[in-house]
Amino acid sequence: MAFPDRSRISRRSLLKASAAGGLVATTGGISATFGQGAPVNFTSWSAAVDQVRSHVSAFERATGLKVNYENFPWAQYRTSVVTRLVGNAPMDVLWVSDAWLPEFAEAGWLATIDDVPELMKYNADAAQFCTQSMVYKGKQYGLAYYGDHMSFIYNTEILQKAGITTPPTSWEEVVQQSLKIKQSGGPEFPMLMALGIDTWLIEFMSALVFAHGGRFVDASGNAIMADANRGVVEAVSWVREAIHTHKIVSPGAVETTEINALRAMGAGQHAFAIVPTYRLRALNDPSQAPAAGKLRPALMPRGPRATASATCGWIRFYGMTPGAKANAGRRANAVRFMEFFGGKDTTGSYTLQKLLLTDVGLPFCTTPLSADPEVQAFWTRWAGGGDVIAQQAATAVKKDVIAPWFGEWNETANAAWQSVFLNRATPQAAATAMAAKWKDLKG
Amino acid sequence: MADTWADRLSRKAGYDERSAAILILPVFVVLMVVALYPIIYSFYTSLFDIVLTRPWRRPFVGYGNYARIFQDPMFWVAVQRTTVYTVVTVSITTVFALVVALLLNEAFPGRRLLSALILLPWATPSIVNGLMWKWIYDPGYGLLNGILVQVGLLESYTVWLGNPDRTLFMIANAAIWKQMPLAAILLLVSMKAIPQDLYRAATVDGANVFQRFWHVTLPALKPGLMLVLVYETMISIRHFDLFLIMTQGGPGDASYTLSWQIYVETFRNLKFGIGAALSYLLAIATFVLSYLFIRGFGSKS
Amino acid sequence: MMWRRGLRALVITVLSLLLVIYVAGPVAWLVSSSLQSESDITAVPPNWLPPKVTFDNFEAIFAPPKREVTYETRRQGDPATGRFLPSGAENLLPALWNSFAVGMLVAILNLVVSMTAAYAIAVIHFKGRKAALYTILVTRVIPDIALIVPLFLVMRQLDLVNTRFALVVTYLAVTVPFTIFILISYFEQIPRDLYRAARADGCSHWQALRFVYLPLSLPALVASVMFAFLTSWNEFIFALILTQNITSQTLPIIISGFVMDFTTSFSFINAAGVIAIVPPVVLAMMFERYIVSGLTAGAVKG
């Protein structure tokens, strides 16, 4: 019932595949024995669409397989995907956020790839942080699409005008420099924060908490977020004071989403911001941002008790559905697709990973690529060098609130953060509410 | 062979009953498939603890979901927000629409143009409506700040949607903008049915404008007002699109309404049981309000 | 008497002006910003009129590049901060057609089934008319969000997911109860003597509806048609779940996709918004005179 056209499609694409002739014979010889005429159903959110499409074209040419590529807007993505998973819509490979891994794995919506050596071999080339982020309860669930972290960036021109020579290294310094910038006729709100209710909020807040040397939960997964001096309360207090005491962050920040913040930063309206590192590419592109060339990364400022500059990292990855894995033909195709996209393509290189970086700015998880001269030229061109970013990436910590109940907890957390930013609740009260919800959900 | 159901019916029922049955049948067929089944199904769902991410265990909990909702402080927050939003939206829309309908019922040059213009908001999809107003309220670039500062009413740009004291009213304004035209048209249509004789008679009796409005127009508008109140209440109390586009329940919980809570529980937390139970509570509230309006305005004087 | 007429004119003029500004102002701003470049619409203070008119957004909608994307033809850069148009721009026109087709079909079917049912309930005094009315109305008290999941299951059973037909049937159920309600309240205002006379002359119920009630109810019928069309045109949440590809997705879904994406410029979204407003406005203006000019006002003397 759900696949009325299955046989027709397979026949048509089989014909196509045989028409492709020689190519299929050389590259797809073995898996052809599985009778894999069916297309690969690939579902993603609508990011890097042109890069993905061009790689899909390459995949279709190289393998003779057909790809049904569908994308949904990021904000609707989880709902759309869950509807399709529950409704048994045809899906083989999909993009997954690290935040959903436990939930999806527990629900049986993702297949482990531990027993797929063709994919597991890429772990040897992958940054440890990335691989760990795809592991849940000891099993790995995919190959990386990209891995990134939150970067602290500053506008060199605005700092210069205010007579500031080096970017801040502590949050205290962020306040002082911001006040100095305000006094010397710079922007009214030197520090830009995107505190609107948005999927990025937890990543911003995690970056701030980690930069304060803090954590939300301890090693055994129990909430420590409400404990004073464990990071959360300090980080939230800093933001509240930045808005209400020092007035260096706009009170409109509570309705500013990540994308809107980006526009303002690119327009040169603020001195400091925390952004996903991949946005540096767009922010320093003169055709997109008036402030291009002036926006540079610095190490994340530290909180009073932090011993090192830390930030929050995340990854997004290719996952396979259990439905695809259970069927030999679909499984073979899905594996080839995942390898071609998340590993090396049939030319033996990490083509897409490089494309995603140079076109869109998305950092990769495949360490060998870092030595590539084009990659190094990229960082020099768009970020004034790759050292700070590499150094910061090494300190990236994955969101420690990732759990099967993350989504529900995050709803409470979002409201709690905002109540502090609006000065409607104390940092301690908000942290306590979050901790209570965590305990409740953890059971 | 001899006895079809129509024959049987015609023997039992008279011509009126038979005609009525045939005339109503198409509606019932549509509603049966698309509305009645889902309604029953979602009530059934509300009695189970269904969490989509836990497909293997969905125990029967009876009124358990309802009990949990009543203990949830966010439910009471949502009730409060929904009440404020609904009362503001419905009352202002109705009064506003009445004024517009009275205006358009007058004969004056430019009336045709005006009545065409007021259709603009109605023709605007609510998604576009939400975007447009969000863009107007923007604290950084918005038109509202631009106007108020240029006119001198405001010293510097201020925060509208992001201010929890204002959020609900800002959203309500967008809703009123869109809903007013339909309400006005319904009232206007109702006014068109008032026989002119009544006005002439009233004028002969020496009634002034206000007396005519009070004694002739308003009583005759009762069915129209009932329509407007019922419809506006039904859509305002469960309004969703604007909240999704404009605030996502925020800032904080300032626009956390019942329909937003239903969305969050159902589609974000994937708790279908709780979502269905919340929906039923909202449905009961809607029903009671509609019933009161129908009883209050529907009776013929 | 003179001052009285002057006052009336003054009140009407002031009210009309305020109404025009409130109602048309936001739309004018939407149109203006759709013709500006990204940097112009984020200017402070805002540009009331486009400093430099650009039709880039509309070109992208009406002449979307049909191309196969390869390494050579791909577009580089993250469209996030503007200038670049979303990959879904080419979906707008098909979605416009879907919206229109669905809206029209709903408007027509809705009118057919509603007027007969409304006549039956309002005019024929049969046993159980109250019950019938309440049953119909009660289907609308449940929030739409609650109906989505079961409706999705029904449509999947019938293999109707991703079809325009699924939307038509759904919107019919959404609009019919209220249309019936509108028509009943109008039919009840029509003097009953007309009905009695018609029946005495030997008219059947169908003829009474056709020759007495319908001609007298034009404003209400037009209002119902517009209500049904615009409700379908606007609807978002059912379409979001019931349709997941462009063979059946409607405009609100495509437009909300632009908003919720991280890659779309504000001015493009505004242009998409303008596109979404135009067809219903044209339609509404065509029908407007039937409602407002009160064709029947004289006829209903009874």
Side-chain angles (χ1 to χ4, degrees), chain A residues 155-164 180-181 184-187 294:
Chain A
N155 184 314
T156 50
E157 191 181 57
I158 295 177
L159 261 64
Q160 216 171 24
K161 273 190 190 153
I164 299 165
K180 199 172 169 190
I181 290 167
S184 60
K294 295 164 197 155

Side-chain angles (χ1 to χ4, degrees), chain A residues 111-356:
Chain A
T112 163
I113 62 157
D114 279 327
D115 49 354
V116 186
E118 301 97 305
L119 302 179
M120 290 299 278
K121 70 181 182 212
Y122 290 102
N123 283 351
D125 277 358
Q128 214 192 359
F129 166 77
C130 292
T131 309
Q132 279 169 354
S133 299
M134 294 180 285
V135 172
Y136 177 66
K137 289 192 174 166
K139 290 197 168 101
Q140 187 170 335
Y141 285 88
L143 283 189
Y145 149 44
Y146 81 95
D148 201 0
H149 62 266
M150 283 292 170
S151 277
F152 184 85
I153 62 167
Y154 63 101
N155 184 314
T156 50
E157 191 181 57
I158 295 177
L159 261 64
Q160 216 171 24
K161 273 190 190 153
I164 299 165
T165 48
T166 48
T169 56
S170 71
W171 292 104
E172 185 46 41
E173 244 185 299
V174 174
V175 174
Q176 281 155 12
Q177 293 195 358
S178 298
L179 292 173
K180 199 172 169 190
I181 290 167
K182 266 173 89 114
Q183 278 150 18
S184 60
E188 191 188 355
F189 301 113
M191 177 84 202
L192 172 65
M193 302 200 97
L195 304 175
I197 294 180
D198 179 322
T199 53
W200 288 108
L201 187 56
I202 186 61
E203 266 122 12
F204 285 125
M205 294 315 297
S206 296
L208 278 174
V209 169
F210 299 160
H212 276 82
R215 287 289 183 275
F216 288 86
V217 298
D218 63 14
S220 48
N222 292 312
I224 55 166
M225 50 197 101
D227 302 4
N229 307 329
R230 299 298 286 270
V232 176
V233 176
E234 284 112 312
V236 192
S237 303
W238 186 88
V239 179
R240 182 174 73 156
E241 277 158 33
I243 298 173
H244 297 282
T245 311
H246 310 303
K247 305 196 189 304
I248 57 170
V249 172
S250 162
V254 286
E255 58 170 301
T256 307
T257 51
E258 195 260 356
I259 180 71
N260 290 3
L262 208 64
R263 287 191 170 96
M265 197 65 193
Q269 292 168 354
H270 302 276
F272 309 113
I274 299 171
V275 298
T277 309
Y278 81 84
R279 295 295 203 185
L280 276 168
R281 164 70 171 76
L283 285 171
N284 281 313
D285 182 344
S287 70
Q288 299 187 55
K294 295 164 197 155
L295 303 175
R296 292 288 174 257
L299 286 178
M300 195 62 92
R302 291 185 216 170
R305 239 187 333 278
T307 49
S309 159
T311 190
C312 170
W314 64 90
I315 85 154
R316 312 284 186 244
F317 61 91
Y318 298 88
M320 198 194 316
T321 59
K325 202 182 172 191
N327 173 304
R330 280 172 74 191
R331 171 184 163 144
N333 292 346
V335 168
R336 290 181 74 189
F337 184 89
M338 282 175 75
E339 177 170 12
F340 199 89
F341 280 70
K344 290 177 179 172
D345 63 11
T346 43
T347 65
S349 46
Y350 290 112
T351 308
L352 181 62
Q353 289 87 338
K354 200 159 128 184
L355 210 61
L356 287 171

Side-chain angles (χ1 to χ4, degrees), chain C residues 14 52 87 114 116 163 172 185 222 258 270 279 282:
Chain C
V14 170
K52 208 175 100 251
S87 55
S114 300
T116 56
T163 63
L172 213 48
S185 80
V222 172
F258 296 143
N270 291 336
V282 170

Side-chain angles (χ1 to χ4, degrees), chain C residues 227-249:
Chain C
F227 167 76
F229 179 81
L230 289 175
T231 303
S232 316
W233 187 265
N234 285 336
E235 205 284 330
F236 172 68
I237 191 81
F238 283 121
L240 180 65
I241 304 295
L242 291 180
T243 64
Q244 296 186 326
N245 61 45
I246 192 57
T247 55
S248 53
Q249 278 178 328

